[in-house]
Amino acid sequence: MNGQVTQTDVGGGVDTVKLVAAILLVLGGIVAFYVLHAQADWLRWLAVVAGVVLAAVVFGTSARGQTFWQFMLDARQELRKVVWPTRQETTTTTMVVFAFVIIAGAFFWGLDVFLSWATRLLTGQGG
């Protein structure tokens, strides 16, 4: 195999057992946190971290884990292709957004005042 995970590899019997084991390891760490309530806090958190780390290792050996890892590598590669805006572009865009928020706020405030006035005029009610 060339390192690619095919769709038929994902969801096999052994893969399902690994996923269930990973979930049970996380749950075991959480349960240990509460069972060890009389112990020091660092020991309780160590049990949670150990459960999560062991679950990550088991998940990583599954076909779905390998697919997830490949996705993360591809996403990191794509992130390097992103052209980030300069500080000036970011500041300018932020100022434009603030200006439009202020304009929209003034418009809706004026609309609210007008509709309140119209309601009082037509019904004789309202504050």
Side-chain angles (χ1 to χ4, degrees):
M1 204 178 233
N2 61 0
Q4 294 289 347
V5 178
T6 62
Q7 188 63 28
T8 57
D9 293 338
V10 178
V14 175
D15 193 48
T16 303
V17 170
K18 288 180 181 181
L19 293 176
V20 170
I23 291 169
L24 290 176
L25 283 168
V26 170
L27 290 176
I30 294 170
V31 168
F33 179 83
Y34 290 105
V35 169
L36 299 173
H37 60 84
Q39 301 298 322
D41 284 343
W42 69 268
L43 185 62
R44 296 172 68 197
W45 282 108
L46 182 65
V48 173
V49 170
V52 170
V53 168
L54 289 173
V57 169
V58 171
F59 177 72
T61 62
S62 70
R64 288 187 191 270
Q66 292 169 1
T67 303
F68 177 75
W69 183 250
Q70 187 61 46
F71 170 77
M72 294 302 290
L73 292 175
D74 292 344
R76 187 173 174 207
Q77 187 177 14
E78 289 297 320
L79 187 61
R80 290 182 182 151
K81 297 178 184 177
V82 173
V83 178
W84 297 100
T86 64
R87 179 179 289 273
Q88 182 180 3
E89 291 171 335
T90 303
T91 303
T92 303
T93 303
T94 302
M95 291 303 149
V96 169
V97 169
F98 281 153
F100 276 107
V101 166
I102 290 170
I103 291 169
F107 170 76
F108 286 115
W109 173 77
L111 182 64
D112 182 55
V113 168
F114 171 74
L115 291 176
S116 294
W117 171 78
T119 301
R120 274 194 307 274
L121 183 69
L122 293 173
T123 66
Q125 298 178 356

